[in-house]
Amino acid sequence: MNHSFRHTPFVLESLLSGEAENYRHHATTHPFAPKTMKARFVACLVAMVCVLILGSLSTPRLAAQIATGGVTGTVKDAAGAVLPGAAVTLTNTQTNVVQSTQSTSTGTYVFTAVPVGIYTLKASHAGFQDVVISNIDVHIQVVLTEDATLAVGSAAQQVTVTAAAPLLQAESGTIGTTIEGKAVIDLPLNGRNWATLAQIAAGVTTASTQFSGAPGSAYYVVNGLNPWMQDFRLDGIDDNVELYGGAGPTNSNVNVTPPPDAISEFRLQTGDFPAEFGHSSAGIINAVVKSGTNSIHGDLWEFVRNDKLDANDYFSNLYGAKRAAYHQNQFGGTVGGPVWIPKLYNGKNKTFFFFDYQGTRIVRPSPTTASIPTALEQSSGFTNFSDVITNNSGTKTDALGRVFPYGTILDPATTRSVAAGQTDPVSGLQNTTGNTVYVRDPFFTAGSVGGIRDFTSYAAELNQIPAGRIDPNAVKILQLYPAATSPGTVNNYFQNNKTPNNINQFDVRIDQSFGEHDTLFGVYDWSHFVINQPNVLPGIADGGNFGTGTISLPIYAIALGETHTFSTTLSNDFHIGWGHNVQSQLSSNATEMGIPAQYNIQGVPQVTDNGGLTNFSISGMQSLGASPYMPTVATITDLEIMDNLTKQKGSHTFKGGIQWDRLYGIVLQPPYGRGQFSYSGQYSDVINSNTGLLGIADMLITPGPATVPNGISNLGSMSGFQASNIAPNRDIRYYYGAYFQDDW
């Protein structure tokens, strides 16, 4: 139930990578570039500066700044002659912030780094009537052409026209799709993740499940390229999950995802990128958080989904459980306007704020099944395993030709060799295989196994393990299993838990105009995802599944940008961004120390987040204890600095810039920080024919001396043990590049 209210002609870039504090260096270069990295970088900067100084003598083909758009055009008289020196202003109709320039010797003008919004353009020249073009809609990475034709007359006379939406963007060869803020809000979004809307663009398809692709995720394929080749940008700054990315709780490779109501618009570019986009080869997704205006604006929302009209699910019906609870609430609001402090400051026309908050509360069902010891096995003190035979069918044959019911437990202490052609002194059977073979006998309460070739009629006398052969510590550990909820030996435990998922997030943006030459903005984004995924088994039994327990993802990002106009033909756009992302997955008992020692397991480091029970991987049973590879705690930070300089000279627009990124990750993920004991059942089954059912028997039966001639002593118990240290891994990566572009 749902309810809602309301050409890159010269590019140099390099990548410096490191793993565990060891740094590697490689670069992509022009074939005629200098041979050292430092020399290449310096040469690029020198070339860029030289071309900016040089000029040459039509309307410029202009590239917009990363998170903004642009407006360009030519000022002419009625006869079509160009008008140099015309005064041109561009005014944001919602904030009254003005940008000014003059037409060049070729009559052209250019406004770069124009924030998304609706604008009015005015062109004036002595001896001519003013021309005003209204309703100019500027979008991210889109450059509009608005030519102004001035008629002879006085400045007191004014001609007003309304800009028409262009049918074709001739100023750039970039291929892209813009999705405006209204569409972001109005289109159906499961989970309200606006980044998924890029999948409606041409050339975009859902990624395979290998990449966590789904219609509701931000993993998608652009023009057939790898999903990790996308470049997500928020307010012009890196918004990718760097270094140790993954779907995780957000099911996205986007670091910060503000609510749809906070997004002014976003644009997906899929080909022929401007030179400043040298980072990625697939799609480039640019989004901008809304800005405040001279009027107070805001909205409120709540989206509700619940289980009131849902049918019961298959597993609940199968195990006689009632319908599980499902609730999803997403609520929040936005507000924006001029900064106003009574009697102290009035920011109208110059200082603006925008704030949004969204809370998400999700409770979804989490049904799980597990195979655990049966009621008979538990009540017998783990000595009677006759139901392993009765709940299975078929037989197995050993090297002497003896036939056993499927699931028969054999005694490791009776393991022995029988040479080719020899008679086994225990069973009295001859080895006719022509090779030395190994066999063992079942636990058989009827007495001697001598002469018996077929044990299928003796099922009641099998699988009774003498209490004196059982390890009491193993029994203590196995008693952590809960009582079975249904008969049988497979999937005989069912629980229908709830998985709560709480998300809080907000964004704050401040825009400041210092007149016609300087504008400044700052954005702070914060979000915190917390998911409590229930274990397969209760308490410290846990169940050993990776991803259960507490998954926490606190994120914040800061973006700052300043645009300065040096003259009517020279401007600079500077950005700096900082992102901080912590991804932690902890077992539900991560803070409970001293548990292994209670079960005589020594040497497990009792350090932060490594609490809980050692993992026991038991063939045929659900694992016990905390999962390997937990705790997982990854802290990733990224610092990005960008600067872009634009110079207009005649019919040319020269643009150059630099980008520097520092990506740092520290990851704690010990594979087996608590250790892992593995029991495959290979010592309790027919030799060289392991069924995978009897891991619990290997765990229970204490290894000891052989009880038969030619026997092998001390055979049994673990099939493997793994342990690892608990130490973080540190990685650092530097990315830096420089570019130059001439639009003519």
Side-chain angles (χ1 to χ4, degrees):
M1 173 178 281
N2 301 301
H3 184 65
S4 63
F5 300 97
R6 19 169 262 219
H7 294 321
T8 58
F10 194 107
V11 176
L12 172 67
E13 60 184 44
S14 74
L15 187 66
L16 181 61
S17 310
E19 296 182 2
E21 307 284 8
N22 297 315
Y23 305 130
R24 298 191 305 271
H25 190 182
H26 61 87
T28 58
T29 64
H30 191 280
F32 300 105
K35 298 304 180 184
T36 68
M37 179 54 60
K38 182 176 180 181
R40 295 189 200 107
F41 192 73
V42 172
C44 177
L45 292 178
V46 171
M48 182 180 69
V49 172
C50 290
V51 180
L52 285 174
I53 295 174
L54 296 175
S56 65
L57 300 172
S58 139
T59 299
R61 179 183 178 274
L62 175 66
Q65 305 291 2
I66 287 179
T68 55
V71 180
T72 185
T74 303
V75 182
K76 306 176 182 179
D77 63 17
V82 299
L83 292 176
V88 185
T89 61
L90 188 67
T91 304
N92 187 307
T93 58
Q94 295 179 308
T95 63
N96 286 332
V97 173
V98 179
Q99 299 182 52
S100 300
T101 188
Q102 286 186 346
S103 59
T104 67
S105 59
T106 60
T108 59
Y109 71 90
V110 173
F111 290 103
T112 62
V114 180
V116 172
I118 306 297
Y119 289 83
T120 297
L121 184 140
K122 182 179 180 180
S124 305
H125 195 285
F128 294 88
Q129 300 177 17
D130 293 348
V131 169
V132 176
I133 304 174
S134 62
N135 200 38
I136 301 173
D137 195 359
V138 175
H139 299 288
I140 299 173
Q141 279 291 305
V142 175
V143 179
L144 300 175
T145 296
E146 295 295 342
D147 295 330
T149 301
L150 277 60
V152 175
S154 66
Q157 296 174 298
Q158 180 174 291
V159 177
T160 302
V161 297
T162 301
L167 299 178
L168 178 67
Q169 180 182 314
E171 297 79 11
S172 173
T174 299
I175 302 170
T177 300
T178 299
I179 301 179
E180 300 183 42
K182 187 177 187 304
V184 171
I185 296 173
D186 292 346
L187 288 172
L189 286 170
N190 185 9
R192 288 172 55 77
N193 183 355
W194 52 266
T196 66
L197 289 175
Q199 296 185 64
I200 68 176
V204 181
T205 58
T206 302
S208 68
T209 54
Q210 173 189 357
F211 296 100
S212 302
S217 82
Y219 287 92
Y220 33 78
V221 173
V222 177
N223 295 333
L225 296 173
N226 189 299
W228 288 103
M229 293 181 178
Q230 264 75 267
D231 185 16
F232 289 90
R233 298 263 144 192
L234 182 63
D235 297 307
I237 292 299
D238 182 8
D239 194 28
N240 301 283
V241 176
E242 298 286 2
L243 288 176
Y244 301 98
T250 61
N251 196 31
S252 176
N253 54 359
V254 185
N255 194 40
V256 176
T257 310
D261 300 74
I263 296 298
S264 178
E265 66 179 38
F266 77 94
R267 179 172 175 81
L268 170 67
Q269 293 168 264
T270 58
D272 195 16
F273 309 131
E276 61 262 38
F277 294 109
H279 181 277
S280 302
S281 58
I284 297 170
I285 298 90
N286 258 307
V288 176
V289 172
K290 288 180 179 177
S291 302
T293 66
N294 274 331
S295 301
I296 297 291
H297 292 280
D299 65 337
L300 298 171
W301 65 85
E302 181 176 15
F303 295 84
V304 180
R305 297 174 59 188
N306 57 42
D307 56 20
K308 299 306 181 185
L309 298 180
D310 293 347
N312 205 3
D313 65 90
Y314 170 81
F315 290 103
S316 296
N317 277 328
L318 180 65
Y319 291 95
K322 65 179 182 180
R323 179 183 62 195
Y326 180 90
H327 303 285
Q328 179 170 319
N329 292 75
Q330 288 182 285
F331 54 90
T334 68
V335 62
V339 174
W340 180 69
I341 304 175
K343 299 181 180 180
L344 292 177
Y345 185 77
N346 185 352
K348 194 171 184 179
N349 297 335
K350 53 183 179 290
T351 309
F352 310 93
F353 78 94
F354 179 85
F355 174 82
D356 67 83
Y357 166 81
Q358 178 170 275
T360 302
R361 305 292 183 266
I362 301 175
V363 176
R364 67 176 185 272
S366 184
T368 57
T369 58
S371 298
I372 66 171
T374 65
L376 174 61
E377 293 163 4
Q378 297 191 52
S379 63
S380 69
F382 298 100
T383 60
N384 189 343
F385 288 86
S386 59
D387 48 12
V388 178
I389 294 177
T390 58
N391 284 280
N392 287 282
S393 61
T395 60
K396 299 189 74 173
T397 303
D398 73 355
L400 293 176
R402 296 183 297 177
V403 179
F404 299 100
Y406 199 81
T408 300
I409 297 176
L410 306 183
D411 184 358
T414 65
T415 304
R416 60 195 179 274
S417 64
V418 181
Q422 298 297 310
T423 298
D424 175 28
V426 179
S427 66
L429 302 176
Q430 186 179 15
N431 174 13
T432 61
T433 64
N435 299 299
T436 298
V437 297
Y438 291 85
V439 294
R440 59 175 65 110
D441 300 327
F443 290 98
F444 193 54
T445 60
S448 172
V449 297
I452 301 177
R453 289 186 175 275
D454 191 342
F455 286 86
T456 55
S457 60
Y458 296 95
E461 286 75 35
L462 300 173
N463 283 16
Q464 311 290 322
I465 305 176
R469 297 287 304 280
I470 291 179
D471 180 357
N473 197 58
V475 173
K476 183 179 179 181
I477 294 170
L478 292 172
Q479 286 173 341
L480 292 171
Y481 279 112
T485 59
S486 61
T489 56
V490 178
N491 292 333
N492 54 359
Y493 179 74
F494 173 78
Q495 60 177 353
N496 204 352
N497 285 318
K498 301 175 182 177
T499 299
N501 179 6
N502 295 331
I503 307 171
N504 292 291
Q505 57 189 121
F506 70 83
D507 308 272
V508 179
R509 177 173 179 134
I510 298 293
D511 290 87
Q512 174 68 47
S513 173
F514 297 98
E516 297 183 3
H517 296 288
D518 287 280
T519 58
L520 176 71
F521 80 86
V523 183
Y524 180 80
D525 310 282
W526 179 89
S527 63
H528 192 188
F529 297 72
V530 179
I531 300 175
N532 291 302
Q533 183 69 36
N535 297 324
V536 178
L537 301 176
I540 63 172
D542 196 316
N545 278 14
F546 183 79
T548 60
T550 300
I551 303 173
S552 178
L553 184 60
I555 302 170
Y556 71 85
I558 301 171
L560 298 173
E562 196 267 349
T563 301
H564 178 74
T565 302
F566 295 98
S567 68
T568 58
T569 60
L570 182 64
S571 64
N572 188 77
D573 188 46
F574 174 80
H575 281 72
I576 184 170
W578 170 263
H580 187 274
N581 179 321
V582 179
Q583 303 180 34
S584 68
Q585 299 189 38
L586 306 180
S587 73
S588 57
N589 308 109
T591 60
E592 297 183 42
M593 302 300 167
I595 293 176
Q598 298 174 22
Y599 298 90
N600 294 322
I601 305 168
Q602 306 301 321
V604 177
Q606 299 299 284
V607 298
T608 302
D609 297 332
N610 200 53
L613 179 67
T614 297
N615 184 265
F616 291 85
S617 177
I618 308 169
S619 177
M621 295 286 168
Q622 182 69 40
S623 295
L624 284 171
S627 168
Y629 293 92
M630 292 177 71
T632 292
V633 182
T635 302
I636 301 100
T637 61
D638 62 273
L639 172 64
E640 181 171 83
I641 299 174
M642 302 173 62
D643 192 73
N644 300 285
L645 185 68
T646 303
K647 171 67 177 179
Q648 186 181 1
K649 182 70 174 180
S651 60
H652 290 258
T653 299
F654 301 113
K655 185 177 181 182
I658 58 173
Q659 177 180 335
W660 180 85
D661 291 73
R662 179 187 183 272
L663 311 175
Y664 179 74
I666 177 170
V667 178
L668 176 69
Q669 190 181 52
Y672 303 99
R674 303 172 188 85
Q676 183 185 60
F677 296 90
S678 299
Y679 302 90
S680 68
Q682 68 189 51
Y683 302 114
S684 306
D685 213 330
V686 174
I687 295 175
N688 296 325
S689 186
N690 189 3
T691 62
L693 293 175
L694 305 178
I696 192 170
D698 277 6
M699 181 176 178
L700 284 164
I701 300 170
T702 304
T707 59
V708 295
N710 300 322
I712 302 173
S713 297
N714 300 313
L715 191 67
S717 191
M718 292 184 298
S719 57
F721 173 75
Q722 293 177 293
S724 63
N725 65 348
I726 302 175
N729 181 63
R730 293 176 173 85
D731 291 280
I732 191 168
R733 179 186 304 166
Y734 291 98
Y735 172 93
Y736 54 96
Y739 75 92
F740 172 76
Q741 180 168 312
D742 175 17
D743 291 314
W744 180 42

